Amino acid sequence: MVWGESMKLFQPHRFSAASQPSDYYPTTVRALAPTEALIGEHTADLCVVGGGYAGLSAALHAAQAGLDVRLLEAATLGAGASGRNGGQVGSGQRVDAPDLAKAHGLATAQDLWRIGEDAKRLVLDLIADHQISCELRRGILYPVHKRSAARALLDYPEIMRRDFGYSRFRHLSADELRAELNSISYYGAVLDEGAAHLSPLAYLRGLARAAIAAGAKCHEFSPVLEWSADAGRYRLRTEQGHLRAKQVIFACNGYLNDLVPSMAARCMPIHNFIAATRPLSDAQIAELIPNRYAVADSRFVINYFRIDADNRLLFGGGESYSYRLPDDVRPIVRRAMSQVFPQLAAADLEYAWPGTLAITRNRLPQFREELPGAIAIGGFSGHGISIGTLAGKLAVEKLMGSSPHFDIMASAAAPPFPGGPRWRQSLLAAAMLGARMLDRLA
């Protein structure tokens, strides 16, 4: 059987070979040395498809284990969500631990939480081990936008300490929160002093340099058009070449299309938008977020933001489930930003850009062994810096023998989205519209 990119209903935000991503991050981060496209016939122990966090982590860990690794990336390394996101390194999983306990039982939830903490620790260790300069700072605020939700925050730090052994959450009342986040939109928060935030493209490029230094061969502008099992190996065809590999890892997240149909049925690509203001003064920052914590609020379609090393407010807000991107995303972001910070309603948004990520029905990632020696990972649902990095490592462990953590993650994966390829996107858009309406209710 041959798998290939035939379904074109949803087009992720892609970039041409002649241009770099049009967002702010490339102006702040040292460029990687360009790599050559895959041309002609090649062989490898392992082929990794996708040049984001998961793919580069897989390439790094496989190369460190002595495998001959080739990574195929359709555009440039980090051109997708990995190089364009909000830069938040949250604790645990994308889903709150108490909600995991309700869905999967306390014991499984504790396992999932520990795996998420391993993921966060792995990111921090890789930054330290490879001396990656990426604006790393501690602390993420999680404010709630509904008065009713604020009451539930009171017990949250104690629940996390008692049931999950995590004591880095601190409750903030509405008044305490105003001292940390000058917005009238919220009624309280928890502060996670163990979480972190960073420059996502700087981290991505540091990971890429580490993988290349370990011996992984990366090929940009080499989209995989089809692949097949062939006499105990896997054969992958790109625009200009073929690669035969003993094993393969698909790590494409929101850019998978139907390259792996069973994965595509469970990972829905959505567009998200971020803007960067012109540099703010120190006095303005002291007025907005004096301790420079990152923020991710409680809305179903969340607002997330942070102050970067150049004193810009990087604000993410709004999502799109249509097949076309808007010509200008600034109005979408400005609308969300003005609700949180009315004092910035007229701020100059010097940069604004879209990106494509992948979500799952239960917001837990997909860890799938499609065939012996063929693994697919993705659906990181906005938690990709940590979980994506760990996913690449666990996929390599699985291919090399066993990985209990891979198996735990695989057991908690979500079912397919309903509706089939043609109706799936429309059904999701309708569901998300309903969720956005609920966001507006007190």
Side-chain angles (χ1 to χ4, degrees), residues 114-188:
R114 283 191 289 267
I115 292 170
E117 286 298 277
D118 287 346
K120 184 176 68 177
R121 192 175 305 111
L122 176 62
V123 171
L124 300 180
D125 287 347
L126 288 170
I127 291 170
D129 292 346
H130 299 284
Q131 299 181 334
I132 301 174
S133 178
C134 58
E135 303 180 19
L136 180 68
R137 294 181 68 95
R138 292 282 190 168
I140 299 180
L141 277 168
Y142 295 99
V144 294
H145 72 290
K146 293 183 179 182
R147 196 182 304 273
S148 58
R151 292 190 291 271
L153 293 182
L154 289 171
D155 298 328
Y156 190 81
E158 174 57 23
I159 291 171
M160 292 303 301
R161 186 201 63 77
R162 182 193 69 209
D163 292 344
F164 297 94
Y166 189 75
S167 58
R168 304 301 302 277
F169 281 116
R170 180 159 60 90
H171 174 260
L172 301 178
S173 67
D175 290 340
E176 291 170 329
L177 176 60
R178 285 295 296 274
E180 298 290 354
L181 175 62
N182 188 14
S183 173
I184 61 173
S185 295
Y186 304 113
Y187 297 94

Side-chain angles (χ1 to χ4, degrees), residues 7-86:
M7 186 183 72
K8 300 296 183 182
L9 293 177
F10 185 93
Q11 285 297 300
H13 187 56
R14 291 195 179 279
F15 315 101
S16 70
S19 68
Q20 289 293 316
S22 58
D23 64 73
Y24 164 64
Y25 291 129
T27 70
T28 69
V29 181
R30 179 166 61 97
L32 292 169
T35 69
E36 296 180 352
L38 185 82
I39 301 174
E41 297 277 346
H42 299 272
T43 62
D45 293 329
L46 173 65
C47 173
V48 178
V49 183
Y53 302 128
L56 288 168
S57 175
L60 169 61
H61 288 97
Q64 288 177 330
L67 299 182
D68 176 20
V69 183
R70 288 186 184 262
L71 183 148
L72 304 179
E73 163 57 41
T76 58
L77 300 177
S82 291
R84 303 166 67 78
N85 64 76

Side-chain angles (χ1 to χ4, degrees), residues 333-380:
V333 179
R334 186 182 299 281
R335 187 161 50 247
M337 188 178 78
S338 298
Q339 291 176 344
V340 176
F341 294 122
Q343 59 269 51
L344 296 179
D348 184 5
L349 301 182
E350 188 173 9
Y351 298 87
W353 63 96
T356 304
L357 65 150
I359 63 172
T360 64
R361 287 181 65 180
N362 65 359
R363 299 303 188 270
L364 290 175
Q366 294 288 321
F367 285 58
R368 296 181 62 82
E369 187 173 20
E370 295 295 322
L371 294 170
I375 281 177
I377 46 179
F380 301 122

